[in-house]
Amino acid sequence: MSSSKKSRIVKFKTSDDKTFEVEEAVAVQFETIKSMIDYVCANDCTIPLPNVNAKTLAMVVEWCKKHADERDQLMEVDVDEAPGAVLYDLLVAATYLRVEDLIHRVSQRVSKMVIEIGKLPEEEDVRKTINIKSDFPPQVEEELRKLRRTLGPLSDVLVLFVSSGLLE
Amino acid sequence: MEITMQDPVQDEDGDGDRLSSLPDRIVHRIISFLTLKDLARFSFTSRRCQELCNSTPTLSLSNIDILKPDDILCRLSINAFLHSLMLHRCSHRVKMQSLSLRWSFQHSLPDEEFRVWSWLQHAVNSGVREFNLNITGKPFSLPVCVLGCKSLSSLVVNTNNGVLRFPSTLSLSYASSSTLRKLILEYVRMEDDGFQQWLPSFKFLKVLCLSKVSGMKSMRIASSSIEKLKIVSIESLCHIQIQEVEKLNELYILWEFKKCGSKSLEISAPNLQRFVWAGDTVDYFSMRSSSHLWRAVIGLLPPANQSRGREDACKANFDELLRSIHSTKNLTLSIEFVEILLEHGCLPFLLDNLVTLNIRRSTRITGHQVQALSSLLTGTTKLYHLIISTLRRILPNPHNSASDISHSVSAGINIDVTVITSLEMINSMASKQLPFKMKKITMELPNGENELELIKYLLKSAEKLEEMTISYSSPLPSYFSSELTKYKKPFTKLHLHRKP
């Protein structure tokens, strides 16, 4: 980031139809965009982002800005406090724009969520909290429910047993 | 210039099943952080999750977090789960990218080793590229299929100081198909020379790292392909020989030992470019110097026992070391080591290729160290940039730590005295010696120190100095910069930076 060179601006249009102006120093961190910056700037194009909304893009930009000078620290807080839905948006955006470090951070955070949720005794709760819809056939569902009723909270061993059974 | 979106995305309302709607590769990434138990639970939530768990290219298997000692039922169920998982992957031809196995063989079932081997074999068959094996509780023999794997590029083995065995040399021919590029052995105990015999057979091996390896007295490293070698803290070792390594360009040795028997280090690496050596001083050192060497970092501790005969040997070793790094352009030395060099009469030494010299210190530089530094600087005729940087001590100093502490505890007056005497010494030194040639000095001040006398001395002696940059963390006294302006040459630019 040389200060002598005039910083260019890259324009984006988000899924909710808002135009975003992003400094080149930030935009180069988007692997997907990197190679097209010269073209886009020269022709005054706007890059459409059909799957990233304005709120999420603002977060990604903010992260990249902070990330450029002060690694890790700041974002730990920002990402850790974000609610689940925001994290998913962020993950989709980061994957689409290919911001490797952000993908890593967020997926690690989501995995913690999955683990936390996995610790709850009933999978109904598991599903609710991470928003997973069960697509097991009704008879399997029924089996599982019966098992749960008779055994109470599933012990570690049982989880392994049952899931190994289900795999076959 | 059109960007299309392949990945299905749900509405913002968040009602949708967000996790399952993410593209596979993202979910795989998320679940790559999960332990086996969490993975099993997760796979239990929906069919899609189950598929995702079964198809993940990065698998980490562990029984360490789950296992209760002696619990056979638990053991059985883990093994059964993994067995069916592997079978499932096998029958669906799921590709595997990396397999991390953390396994405890304590109280293991009779067939367990065989099972683990079969999982490794399965990984090899599914095109695995990275193995990360962490084994406890039993001597572990590396299967031949791992060493001969045609897709493997990185292998990390940690046996937690347990015995690691390499396969019989009868199967050495399998290594010819190996594509291994990176081999890391940590906390392993090797009781025979199997490793040394296998090593030259890995024709694509570029990076080798041996860290905390035990069991061996001497080690000979020979490999025609290896480019980077790292040896860290192998205390039991007495002799290290690095030979027949034509392609080696980076060598990193951190070797500390409590004194037990004589230690020797022999290096013959004709194409070495970077060389880092820290730790204790060996009794015998030889290095066939490389004319390609351009960067060296040396931070050796003083020799432990200073008997008369030893001193000569030490001097010979240090001379050999200085000779072998003669071609280097960029050199980093700990100030303590510069002091040792002076004490052994190795300075001044002509280092006429040196362009950048970085002196690292952990505390303020003493008068004696300044003397050593100035003696070193007289030999650096082409030096352009001198850097004096501060860092936390990499190695605890086993020989002097007690006296160091008492020194810093007595602080106050004592240190002031040394500063005053050293100031006189410095001034007389500055008048006697040849002027330094460097044009640039960068200096980091340690916390709360200003080392004004040292800076003045450098300003006085460096006649061609164009730029001096000083960075400091705690506030400097008000007279600081005016004092420096008095000493500097008119053409010297002075920069003061405050670091957060």
Side-chain angles (χ1 to χ4, degrees):
Chain A
M1 268 180 284
S2 65
S3 49
S4 56
K5 216 174 95 187
K6 196 173 166 283
S7 174
R8 294 184 293 183
I9 295 290
V10 185
K11 282 187 226 156
F12 292 98
K13 189 178 224 172
T14 58
S15 61
D16 42 355
D17 239 10
K18 289 191 181 111
T19 308
F20 248 82
E21 296 195 341
V22 176
E23 282 166 38
E24 188 183 354
V26 169
V28 290
Q29 296 183 52
F30 306 163
E31 284 295 322
T32 320
I33 312 298
K34 209 173 169 180
S35 58
M36 49 174 102
I37 288 181
D38 283 334
Y39 178 89
V40 170
C41 290
N43 296 287
D44 196 31
C45 296
T46 303
I47 303 174
L49 298 175
N51 53 337
V52 181
N53 62 33
K55 194 178 140 205
T56 313
L57 183 61
M59 281 182 80
V60 177
V61 169
E62 183 72 358
W63 192 83
C64 287
K65 264 189 201 160
K66 284 180 186 172
H67 201 70
D69 29 71
E70 248 168 282
R71 304 228 140 219
D72 31 76
Q73 307 278 334
L74 286 164
M75 204 51 201
E76 297 250 341
V77 182
D78 297 2
V79 171
D80 283 357
E81 281 167 5
V86 178
L87 284 176
Y88 286 128
D89 286 334
L90 209 51
L91 199 49
V92 171
T95 310
Y96 184 56
L97 296 167
R98 292 203 359 242
V99 187
E100 265 312 302
D101 292 338
L102 183 59
I103 302 175
H104 184 82
R105 278 290 303 145
V106 181
S107 38
Q108 198 174 16
R109 173 70 196 121
V110 174
S111 80
K112 275 188 204 148
M113 241 161 70
V114 174
I115 295 169
E116 280 309 305
I117 289 149
K119 285 189 181 137
L120 299 174
E122 307 272 335
E123 313 67 61
E124 261 331 300
D125 300 334
V126 178
R127 297 202 186 108
K128 233 179 270 163
T129 338
I130 40 173
N131 252 331
I132 292 174
K133 282 182 187 141
S134 168
D135 52 1
F136 285 122
Q139 57 269 45
V140 176
E141 265 304 299
E142 190 49 43
E143 281 293 307
L144 291 175
R145 212 163 295 145
K146 248 191 252 164
L147 252 173
R148 233 177 287 133
R149 260 200 304 275
T150 44
L151 293 163
L154 297 170
S155 76
D156 294 347
V157 178
L158 195 76
V159 171
L160 290 167
F161 247 141
V162 173
S163 40
S164 68
L166 283 172
L167 281 163
E168 267 143 2
Chain B
M1 188 86 17
E2 201 185 341
I3 302 160
T4 50
M5 174 66 198
Q6 309 97 337
D7 306 329
V9 194
Q10 295 282 324
D11 302 330
E12 255 185 282
D13 56 26
D15 281 346
D17 177 353
R18 294 300 304 267
L19 196 65
S20 310
S21 67
L22 289 170
D24 285 8
R25 64 203 155 94
I26 303 187
V27 186
H28 282 151
R29 191 140 178 177
I30 293 171
I31 61 182
S32 72
F33 294 103
L34 298 187
T35 62
L36 185 60
K37 188 164 68 180
D38 295 317
L39 192 72
R41 275 177 171 143
F42 179 69
S43 73
F44 197 33
T45 50
S46 80
R47 183 175 274 176
R48 159 120 173 109
C49 291
Q50 210 172 80
E51 278 164 16
L52 284 165
C53 289
N54 290 339
S55 63
T56 176
T58 52
L59 204 55
S60 82
L61 311 180
S62 163
N63 66 356
I64 289 173
D65 325 315
I66 316 172
L67 216 55
K68 299 166 194 84
D70 265 340
D71 187 343
I72 294 184
L73 181 68
C74 175
R75 208 137 197 150
L76 274 170
S77 67
I78 296 168
N79 293 359
F81 171 67
L82 289 179
H83 180 71
S84 56
L85 178 69
M86 286 302 189
L87 270 185
H88 180 95
R89 293 177 67 103
C90 224
S91 59
H92 289 78
R93 297 184 190 285
V94 180
K95 284 274 161 210
M96 188 159 343
Q97 199 165 54
S98 79
L99 175 69
S100 143
L101 182 78
R102 286 181 63 226
W103 206 262
S104 162
F105 280 105
Q106 239 166 1
H107 310 289
S108 63
L109 302 168
D111 67 337
E112 208 163 295
E113 194 171 14
F114 165 74
R115 277 190 193 259
V116 169
W117 275 44
S118 78
W119 301 332
L120 295 178
Q121 175 74 58
H122 164 74
V124 168
N125 294 345
S126 345
V128 69
R129 279 193 257 152
E130 289 170 30
F131 266 130
N132 194 336
L133 310 177
N134 187 322
I135 311 285
T136 44
K138 201 172 181 181
F140 183 69
S141 305
L142 269 174
V144 175
C145 70
V146 170
L147 295 178
C149 177
K150 290 190 180 73
S151 54
L152 194 64
S153 98
S154 153
L155 173 61
V156 182
V157 185
N158 177 339
T159 52
N160 299 290
N161 297 324
V163 173
L164 176 74
R165 293 198 194 101
F166 273 72
S168 145
T169 44
L170 291 174
S171 43
L172 260 182
S173 60
Y174 285 93
S176 61
S177 60
S178 161
T179 50
L180 196 63
R181 295 171 63 86
K182 187 168 155 190
L183 176 62
I184 299 177
L185 302 178
E186 297 169 317
Y187 296 96
V188 303
R189 184 171 180 81
M190 292 191 284
E191 291 176 337
D192 52 22
D193 56 357
F195 163 69
Q196 289 166 72
Q197 297 195 354
W198 274 84
L199 185 62
S201 316
F202 301 119
K203 294 292 175 221
F204 296 96
L205 193 68
K206 301 263 183 281
V207 181
L208 175 63
C209 174
L210 302 168
S211 169
K212 317 265 185 193
V213 175
S214 61
M216 286 179 299
K217 277 269 174 245
S218 71
M219 189 193 288
R220 181 170 183 276
I221 290 171
S223 159
S224 57
S225 59
I226 192 174
E227 289 171 9
K228 192 173 165 184
L229 173 62
K230 202 168 165 179
I231 298 178
V232 181
S233 300
I234 305 191
E235 212 181 293
S236 70
L237 215 55
C238 289
H239 308 287
I240 302 180
Q241 235 181 357
I242 300 165
Q243 279 172 342
E244 289 165 42
V245 281
E246 293 80 28
K247 293 203 177 142
L248 190 72
N249 62 48
E250 221 178 307
L251 177 59
Y252 180 104
I253 301 175
L254 180 70
W255 193 18
E256 307 160 74
F257 36 82
K258 290 176 202 84
K259 204 66 193 168
C260 52
S262 75
K263 305 272 178 179
S264 74
L265 175 63
E266 288 172 65
I267 302 167
S268 166
N271 291 304
L272 198 64
Q273 293 177 17
R274 300 158 76 93
F275 177 50
V276 179
W277 184 19
D280 286 298
T281 318
V282 296
D283 299 288
Y284 175 73
F285 173 76
S286 100
M287 183 166 177
R288 224 185 70 204
S289 53
S290 147
S291 55
H292 301 279
L293 190 73
W294 64 273
R295 171 111 177 82
V297 180
I298 314 284
L300 293 177
L301 299 171
N305 54 343
Q306 287 281 25
S307 59
R308 189 72 200 100
R310 301 272 339 109
E311 228 160 70
D312 292 344
C314 275
K315 178 173 162 40
N317 287 339
F318 292 140
D319 282 340
E320 169 85 0
L321 177 60
L322 287 172
R323 250 199 312 278
S324 52
I325 59 172
H326 174 254
S327 66
T328 182
K329 292 190 168 57
N330 186 330
L331 179 64
T332 301
L333 298 173
S334 65
I335 187 71
E336 291 84 1
F337 184 61
V338 180
E339 205 177 354
I340 297 171
L341 286 176
L342 183 71
E343 277 168 15
H344 286 81
C346 303
L347 293 178
F349 190 91
L350 187 65
L351 289 165
D352 55 359
N353 291 303
L354 203 61
V355 179
T356 306
L357 175 65
N358 189 339
I359 297 294
R360 284 187 184 166
R361 46 85 189 273
S362 41
T363 51
R364 79 180 285 161
I365 296 179
T366 65
H368 190 243
Q369 285 170 341
V370 175
Q371 209 173 8
L373 178 61
S374 91
S375 179
L376 176 73
L377 286 173
T378 40
T380 57
T381 49
K382 290 209 186 104
L383 190 69
Y384 175 79
H385 191 178
L386 172 69
I387 304 165
I388 298 178
S389 55
T390 308
L391 93 171
R392 284 174 297 136
R393 199 190 284 278
I394 326 173
L395 294 168
N397 187 335
H399 310 309
N400 306 352
S401 53
S403 63
D404 269 5
I405 291 163
S406 63
H407 185 73
S408 56
V409 168
S410 59
I413 292 165
N414 269 354
I415 283 179
D416 284 344
V417 173
T418 48
V419 169
I420 293 163
T421 49
S422 70
L423 176 61
E424 285 164 7
M425 194 168 73
I426 283 165
N427 279 332
S428 70
M429 263 159 47
S431 57
K432 270 186 264 170
Q433 83 205 0
L434 292 169
F436 301 148
K437 298 279 195 313
M438 63 267 192
K439 301 208 166 138
K440 215 170 142 185
I441 296 180
T442 308
M443 193 162 165
E444 238 178 277
L445 292 179
N447 210 8
E449 299 281 358
N450 63 43
E451 296 190 302
L452 195 54
E453 303 311 330
L454 173 63
I455 299 170
K456 281 186 199 166
Y457 165 66
L458 289 170
L459 284 173
K460 213 168 176 178
S461 317
E463 287 197 335
K464 294 185 177 156
L465 192 67
E466 287 169 5
E467 196 182 321
M468 175 137 194
T469 310
I470 297 170
S471 54
Y472 57 97
S473 47
S474 43
L476 292 169
S478 51
Y479 57 85
F480 191 80
S481 68
S482 60
E483 193 79 346
L484 291 190
T485 323
K486 273 190 249 164
Y487 277 81
K488 75 178 188 65
K489 309 279 173 302
F491 52 85
T492 308
K493 276 187 231 139
L494 199 64
H495 303 291
L496 295 174
H497 290 295
R498 173 137 194 199
K499 286 208 309 191

